[in-house]
Amino acid sequence: MDESSQLAVHPDVEWAEDIWGYISPRFRRDPDESAIQKVAQAKLPHEHELKLETLGAGSLNKVYKLVSSDGDKAYVFRVACPIDAGSKTKGEVATIKWVKERCEVPVPEIIAYDSTKSNLIGYEWILTDYIMGESLEKKFFDLDLAAKQPLVKDIARFMAATYNNRFSSGQIGTLSVDKDGEVGELVSYFLIKGGHFLEHGSSKGPFHSSADWLHACLDLREKEFVSNQRESNLTVPGLRHRETALEDIEKILRNIRRLRPDVDMVFTGKDETMLYHDDLNEGNILVDEEGRLQAIIDWECVSMVPLWWACQHPGFLVGWEQEEKPDKTKFGHDWVPKHKRTKDNVRADGKTSKEISQKYWEALSAYETTQLRKTFDQEMESQAPGWLKVYTESFLKRTLGDAVLCCDDPLQKEAIRRWLDKLDSGDMQAEL
């Protein structure tokens, strides 16, 4: 598919390199803010003169806050870039509904949505209530370890609930808003990034086994890299120079072809599946001033995946092991320009957020994350011991899944090759 035909499929999307050389979608035109206000007003007839402000913008969404005229009520209006048009919005709505019905965890309340572009805005959108809170990312170092432990237990209970509501059918895909509780096509950023599933006609499922899913991922990337190799179309993430690019493409293709028999060897038969929020990082967890959980957000591309993939620590608890609490007095200080040297550099709790070495904060984060993983595991043992059993027994499957899902990354090609060499030599516990 050439550029013109791809744009005919997505007339409001353009694909461009980001600063890292990766191809990302962008809105071809900004949503009209007056149109957003009119659409929201129609869905909120009891409100008058809604004030609109921008909350944030990414490659997949533009997010706005709507505030009532008296300031007492607020809403969130998310406009979606039409990537995997219709499916992504409907999948997110179905997922949030499923979570609200089965898991005791706060999530946004969906007021209205439109999964088409047949509206005044010309884009898909979702309108939800506004949940007060700060991201854990902003509050992490303002909360002591004891304050974060109840939060981690809440997250563990949520993930235990998704495990305890797993699907025995083994289908891998995204929940359908049209057929309550059924699994439909997989909405996955891996499959849709760069628009390549449109170009190569790749399968989106629902997949009936882990092997089918992973082979579909490999099929897509192999077709993509073969096409780039054949056409010398070197718009591949991270491959900027022709000579290097051709070498890297060949190395990536070799890895992809080596991964296939390993997928067939490791993944046999069907696996149970469960809902998995694969972007459960500090930015998507909202807390209050005391660190209590207020909401989990960002439910797009959250899908039903095999247990071996879903049973892993949430993103905000991933990091290196550090059992010893770092001693701040043993760390140096980063240089601070004179114009920034004020009393405000030292916080009320004595932590010098601008002066103490960044290495101290990294060490403290590693220490606290190590302790919080223990809290998570203890709570999971109480709520869903089977989850921990799957986690313990699935190291090889998770590592192979990682290799498949990052097989297109030029920066990972040598690490994947070395890992495949170790696997071929019989080392089933090798890390990627």
Side-chain angles (χ1 to χ4, degrees):
M1 180 182 294
D2 59 24
E3 182 181 10
S4 61
S5 58
Q6 180 166 317
L7 292 177
V9 176
H10 284 318
D12 294 317
V13 181
E14 61 182 6
W15 302 91
E17 279 192 2
D18 60 21
I19 60 173
W20 307 108
Y22 289 89
I23 307 299
S24 299
R26 296 179 184 173
F27 286 79
R28 184 170 288 277
R29 61 175 179 84
D30 286 331
D32 185 283
E33 294 188 358
S34 63
I36 292 173
Q37 287 178 300
K38 289 177 182 177
V39 169
Q41 192 73 66
K43 299 299 178 180
L44 301 165
H46 57 286
E47 298 287 6
H48 302 286
E49 298 180 12
L50 289 166
K51 179 183 177 183
L52 183 142
E53 58 188 72
T54 301
L55 277 182
S59 61
L60 297 182
N61 297 285
K62 290 185 181 291
V63 188
Y64 304 88
K65 181 180 179 181
L66 293 158
V67 183
S68 62
S69 56
D70 59 10
D72 288 342
K73 187 68 176 175
Y75 308 89
V76 173
F77 199 103
R78 281 184 43 234
V79 180
C81 192
I83 309 303
D84 204 355
S87 298
K88 186 164 70 69
T89 295
K90 289 193 287 187
E92 181 172 0
V93 169
T95 299
I96 290 175
K97 179 182 177 182
W98 188 94
V99 170
K100 286 183 74 70
E101 292 174 351
R102 294 167 177 82
C103 307
E104 294 183 7
V105 63
V107 295
E109 183 74 41
I110 294 176
I111 298 169
Y113 73 95
D114 191 339
S115 60
T116 76
K117 65 176 186 178
S118 301
N119 56 67
L120 193 59
I121 304 167
Y123 285 114
E124 302 168 48
W125 55 266
I126 298 177
L127 174 64
T128 70
D129 63 339
Y130 177 81
I131 300 175
M132 294 291 292
E134 290 267 19
S135 70
L136 180 60
E137 183 177 28
K138 293 180 180 178
K139 297 289 293 182
F140 190 87
F141 288 117
D142 293 325
L143 301 168
D144 61 26
L145 183 60
K148 289 190 275 268
Q149 288 174 331
L151 170 67
V152 168
K153 290 181 179 180
D154 284 340
I155 299 297
R157 283 192 286 270
F158 156 65
M159 294 180 67
T162 61
Y163 175 84
N164 292 331
N165 284 279
R166 58 195 180 275
F167 279 40
S168 59
S169 66
Q171 286 192 311
I172 300 167
T174 303
L175 288 169
S176 170
V177 74
D178 301 317
K179 298 179 180 179
D180 188 35
E182 291 191 17
V183 178
E185 288 185 340
L186 178 64
V187 180
S188 163
Y189 194 66
F190 180 89
L191 294 179
I192 65 180
K193 64 181 179 181
H196 299 301
F197 79 95
L198 298 171
E199 180 175 351
H200 301 301
S202 301
S203 171
K204 293 172 58 191
F207 303 103
H208 299 285
S209 70
S210 297
D212 288 347
W213 170 42
L214 295 177
H215 277 303
C217 294
L218 292 171
D219 287 345
L220 174 61
R221 290 302 178 251
E222 183 169 20
K223 290 174 184 176
E224 173 188 345
F225 279 88
V226 167
S227 173
N228 278 280
Q229 185 183 50
R230 182 173 58 247
E231 299 172 13
S232 297
N233 175 23
L234 304 182
T235 58
V236 179
L239 307 184
R240 295 180 179 274
H241 304 292
R242 178 179 175 79
E243 296 79 7
T244 304
L246 289 172
E247 287 181 21
D248 284 349
I249 287 174
E250 186 55 43
K251 290 177 181 178
I252 289 169
L253 284 171
R254 280 200 297 269
N255 284 343
I256 289 173
R257 290 158 185 164
R258 289 182 67 188
L259 284 164
R260 290 188 181 279
D262 292 326
V263 168
D264 289 331
M265 175 188 71
V266 173
F267 298 102
T268 58
K270 283 189 174 183
D271 296 291
E272 287 185 301
T273 57
M274 61 179 276
L275 190 77
Y276 175 49
H277 194 313
D278 61 352
D279 197 17
L280 203 51
N281 58 50
E282 297 94 329
N284 290 328
I285 299 171
L286 302 184
V287 299
D288 65 11
E289 287 298 316
E290 286 71 42
R292 292 184 292 257
L293 179 64
Q294 299 301 292
I296 294 175
I297 60 174
D298 196 3
W299 293 93
E300 63 184 1
C301 298
V302 172
S303 300
M304 293 288 178
V305 300
L307 302 189
W308 59 263
W309 186 247
C311 292
Q312 54 182 306
H313 291 115
F316 78 102
L317 291 183
V318 173
W320 75 79
E321 295 284 333
Q322 177 155 327
E323 292 292 349
E324 184 178 351
K325 185 175 181 179
D327 182 350
K328 187 165 62 175
T329 64
K330 295 183 179 179
F331 287 81
H333 289 71
D334 290 334
W335 180 79
V336 179
K338 284 186 177 180
H339 69 279
K340 290 186 178 180
R341 294 177 188 172
T342 70
K343 62 180 181 180
D344 295 329
N345 288 343
V346 182
R347 303 191 316 196
D349 59 6
K351 297 176 181 177
T352 50
S353 58
K354 290 184 179 179
E355 291 182 353
I356 194 72
S357 170
Q358 180 63 26
K359 291 181 180 180
Y360 167 74
W361 298 110
E362 292 171 356
L364 180 62
S365 177
Y367 166 74
E368 292 196 346
T369 300
T370 299
Q371 308 314 309
L372 292 172
R373 275 196 299 272
K374 296 176 184 177
T375 300
F376 179 94
D377 289 349
Q378 289 168 0
E379 187 65 23
M380 192 61 81
E381 178 67 39
S382 169
Q383 300 290 329
W387 187 99
L388 279 176
K389 185 174 186 294
V390 173
Y391 170 74
T392 302
E393 296 176 351
S394 299
F395 176 79
L396 176 58
K397 289 182 176 181
R398 279 197 308 275
T399 310
L400 180 51
D402 273 331
V404 169
L405 295 177
C406 67
C407 69
D408 60 332
D409 187 345
L411 299 178
Q412 296 293 327
K413 66 183 185 299
E414 290 301 324
I416 293 173
R417 180 192 61 78
R418 291 191 295 269
W419 180 78
L420 285 166
D421 289 344
K422 293 177 182 177
L423 191 63
D424 288 347
S425 69
D427 185 357
M428 300 297 179
Q429 297 300 312
E431 295 186 357
L432 182 60

